[in-house]
């Protein structure tokens, strides 16, 4: 068991901060210093502002498809805040706030979502693998990376993110089984945001919790309130300690909710009710974390408003610079598939160029 009293089964979810921002059990409170708490909150707030702005840019035709994070900020920030600089992050595509916390420059992330693959080219020292859209690919990448760190006797952990839908993919099983058998220092975070596009969690698997899948691999698993940054921190910290003791991987199910559309190409009103969204809005991770900080006298509503405005201007400024970089040359999409472009690809490129001329 990762934390006493919280096994991976139904009804045993770890929660420290309730939706109103009250500490449920002082004994579980990680008692983080004020700076860390504020950095966590501010990063979540920046993530929220980026999200709002990105949706606007996309609707204005200034950005390609974007995958909103709204509602899931704590599930990545809580995790990354429990890591150290030398640890590795293997993101899926809904971890923007966590990537910011680990030091990814906002301009790079905006460039990626603008539609320029160069945005995925992050400084190696950040130890963040590129955003990977192929579902569950993260688990095999992380298992291999963690195995390599173990063989090299490095004291580092690798944290991979996957969605609830991703747990149905073969790579989820392959990576976790490999990681468990070889006791690799890996932590897998399932961002259970209740939906995989229009497929609800209830029809994704017959298992009562996603965390209980850990039992099948013989590893620790825990279900955590993914909208509670303190609970996510505590679970990740403990999983890291265990991994460095040679105890192998941990599976953490973060119970959260995607408050926005799957991507900017999706209309969630077709498949889910407003009541459901409202129910989760009441559990908003930013709302509860802010209430906690205000109550602790670390933060005020006034400061919050001022910072949100400051972030708004900052994101606008950063995005303008990103827009000036623009998209990659069209040819690149075709060029880097093979060392030399074969005839079929060349034909496709010509066809595409002709199409562009036609629609111009
Ligand atoms: C291998 C693969 N198959 C299908 C897709 C198309 N696809 C993109 S997101 C998605 C659903 C993912 O759901 P989930 O894992 O719950 O993550 P979420 O989008 O909710 O964060 C699918 C099927 C893909 N990206 N990769
Ligand atoms: Mg999902």
């Amino acid at each position: 068991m990762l934390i006493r009293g919280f096994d991976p089964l139904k009804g045993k979810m770890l929660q420290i901060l309730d939706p109103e921002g009250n500490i449920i059990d002082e004994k579980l409170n990680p008692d983080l210093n004020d700076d860390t708490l504020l950095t966590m909150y501010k990063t979540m707030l920046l993530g929220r502002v980026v999200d709002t702005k990105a949706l606007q840019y996309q609707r204005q035709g200034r950005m390609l498809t974007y995958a909103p994070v709204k509602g899931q900020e704590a599930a990545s920030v809580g995790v990354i805040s429990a890591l150290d600089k030398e640890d590795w992050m293997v993101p899926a595509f809904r971890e923007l706030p966590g990537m910011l916390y680990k030091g990814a420059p906002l301009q790079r992330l905006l460039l990626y979502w603008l539609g320029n693959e160069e945005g995925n080219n992050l400084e190696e020292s950040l130890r963040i693998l590129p955003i990977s859209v192929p579902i569950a690919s993260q688990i095999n990448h992380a298992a291999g990376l963690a195995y390599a760190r173990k063989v090299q006797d490095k004291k580092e952990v690798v944290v991979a993110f996957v969605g609830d839908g991703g747990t149905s993919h073969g790579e989820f099983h392959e990576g976790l089984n490999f990681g468990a058998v070889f006791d690799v220092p890996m932590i897998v975070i399932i961002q259970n945001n209740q939906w995989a596009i229009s497929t609800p969690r209830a029809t994704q698997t017959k298992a009562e919790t996603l965390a209980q899948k850990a039992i099948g691999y013989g590893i620790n698993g825990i279900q955590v309130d993914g909208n509670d940054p303190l609970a996510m921190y505590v679970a990740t910290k403990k999983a890291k300690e265990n991994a460095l003791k040679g105890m192998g991987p941990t599976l953490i199910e973060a119970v959260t909710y995607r408050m926005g559309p799957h991507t900017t190409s999706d209309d969630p009103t077709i498949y889910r009710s407003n009541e459901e969204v409202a129910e989760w809005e009441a559990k908003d991770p930013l709302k509860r974390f802010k209430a906690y900080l205000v109550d602790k006298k670390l933060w005020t509503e006034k400061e919050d408003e001022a910072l949100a405005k400051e972030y708004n201007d900052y994101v606008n400024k950063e995005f303008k610079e990103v827009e000036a970089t623009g998209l990659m040359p069209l040819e690149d999409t075709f060029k880097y598939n093979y060392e030399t472009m074969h005839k079929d690809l060349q034909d496709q490129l010509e066809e595409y160029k002709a199409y562009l001329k036609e629609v111009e």
Side-chain angles (χ1 to χ4, degrees):
M1 201 177 291
L2 190 73
I3 296 166
R4 199 187 297 271
F6 299 97
D7 63 32
L9 301 174
K10 198 172 171 198
K12 305 279 185 154
M13 183 167 83
L14 175 70
Q15 200 183 38
I16 297 176
L17 208 52
D18 76 9
E20 274 69 51
N22 304 305
I23 296 284
I24 295 168
D25 182 350
E26 259 317 329
K27 284 197 297 298
L28 292 169
N29 189 348
D31 207 15
L32 294 166
N33 67 43
D34 296 351
D35 269 1
T36 306
L37 288 169
L38 281 174
T39 307
M40 286 167 76
Y41 177 73
K42 287 178 183 177
T43 312
M44 285 166 60
L45 181 63
L46 176 58
R48 181 68 60 98
V49 173
V50 171
D51 222 59
T52 312
K53 300 302 302 176
L55 276 169
Q56 290 169 359
Y57 302 145
Q58 199 279 341
R59 296 297 187 235
Q60 291 163 356
R62 297 161 69 191
M63 192 178 227
L64 297 186
T65 310
Y66 176 74
V69 186
K70 189 179 177 192
Q72 298 181 227
E73 294 87 351
S76 64
V77 168
V79 169
I80 304 301
S81 60
L83 301 185
D84 295 288
K85 216 173 172 309
E86 67 273 15
D87 296 324
W88 299 79
M89 176 180 190
V90 186
F93 47 84
R94 230 182 274 283
E95 288 81 28
L96 184 138
M99 293 176 84
L100 289 172
Y101 195 98
K102 205 166 185 338
L106 177 60
Q107 283 207 6
R108 289 264 125 182
L109 302 180
L110 290 172
L111 187 64
Y112 173 79
W113 290 109
L114 179 92
N116 188 330
E117 188 63 25
E118 193 52 35
N120 236 343
N121 187 5
L122 298 171
E123 273 289 325
E124 277 183 33
S125 60
L126 289 173
R127 304 209 156 179
I128 305 175
L129 264 60
I131 290 174
S132 180
V133 173
I135 304 301
S137 55
Q138 300 78 20
I139 316 302
N140 277 346
H141 296 163
L145 179 53
Y147 182 60
R149 301 327 271 171
K150 183 182 160 146
V151 167
Q152 291 172 9
D153 207 18
K154 306 273 190 210
K155 295 284 168 226
E156 298 162 12
V157 297
V158 181
V159 180
F161 289 83
V162 67
D164 44 307
T167 63
S168 299
H169 270 258
E171 281 156 295
F172 177 81
H173 166 70
E174 291 153 17
L176 270 163
N177 192 56
F178 179 96
V181 166
F182 291 99
D183 283 326
V184 306
M186 169 168 82
I187 304 169
V188 172
I189 312 291
I190 303 170
Q191 285 220 57
N192 173 10
N193 63 5
Q194 313 305 326
W195 293 91
I197 315 183
S198 55
T199 303
R201 154 64 186 87
T203 60
Q204 192 64 247
T205 172
K206 292 198 92 172
E208 280 195 315
T209 72
L210 298 175
Q212 77 189 50
K213 288 172 186 271
I215 298 169
Y217 300 110
I219 61 171
N220 275 320
I222 187 168
Q223 198 179 43
V224 181
D225 182 342
N227 287 3
D228 173 354
L230 301 181
M232 288 306 294
Y233 173 93
V234 166
T236 309
K237 195 87 182 162
K238 185 73 185 138
K240 174 173 166 152
E241 272 170 39
N242 284 0
L244 293 185
K245 280 188 211 152
M247 290 167 68
T250 297
L251 182 62
I252 298 177
E253 175 187 353
V255 179
T256 181
Y257 194 72
R258 159 168 65 73
M259 278 154 76
H262 169 72
T263 66
T264 40
S265 314
D266 174 45
D267 176 5
T269 60
I270 297 169
Y271 56 81
R272 67 185 192 186
S273 69
N274 292 338
E275 289 76 31
E276 180 184 303
V277 179
E279 199 185 299
W280 280 92
E281 261 163 12
K283 302 183 199 168
D284 187 328
L286 263 96
K287 188 181 109 223
R288 79 175 70 177
F289 203 17
K290 183 170 73 177
Y292 173 65
L293 297 175
V294 169
D295 192 49
K296 259 177 98 72
K297 308 259 180 293
L298 287 179
W299 198 237
T300 63
E301 284 293 346
K302 231 173 134 192
E303 283 173 306
D304 201 68
E305 266 171 44
L307 189 65
K309 195 179 169 310
E310 192 184 301
Y311 281 160
N312 195 72
D313 298 343
Y314 167 65
V315 176
N316 273 336
K317 187 180 127 299
E318 297 289 285
F319 189 66
K320 281 217 175 90
E321 285 177 33
V322 166
E323 270 184 314
T325 311
L327 294 174
M328 293 178 98
L330 168 69
E331 277 82 358
D332 284 5
T333 314
F334 297 87
K335 238 170 39 192
Y336 299 122
N337 283 280
Y338 298 93
E339 192 177 358
T340 46
M341 211 191 296
H342 61 65
K343 177 140 185 347
D344 277 358
L345 272 177
Q346 248 159 22
D347 290 348
Q348 284 177 34
L349 175 60
E350 292 314 317
E351 198 181 320
Y352 191 47
K353 278 181 177 168
Y355 163 78
L356 285 183
K357 265 212 186 102
E358 224 172 85
V359 295
E360 250 169 29

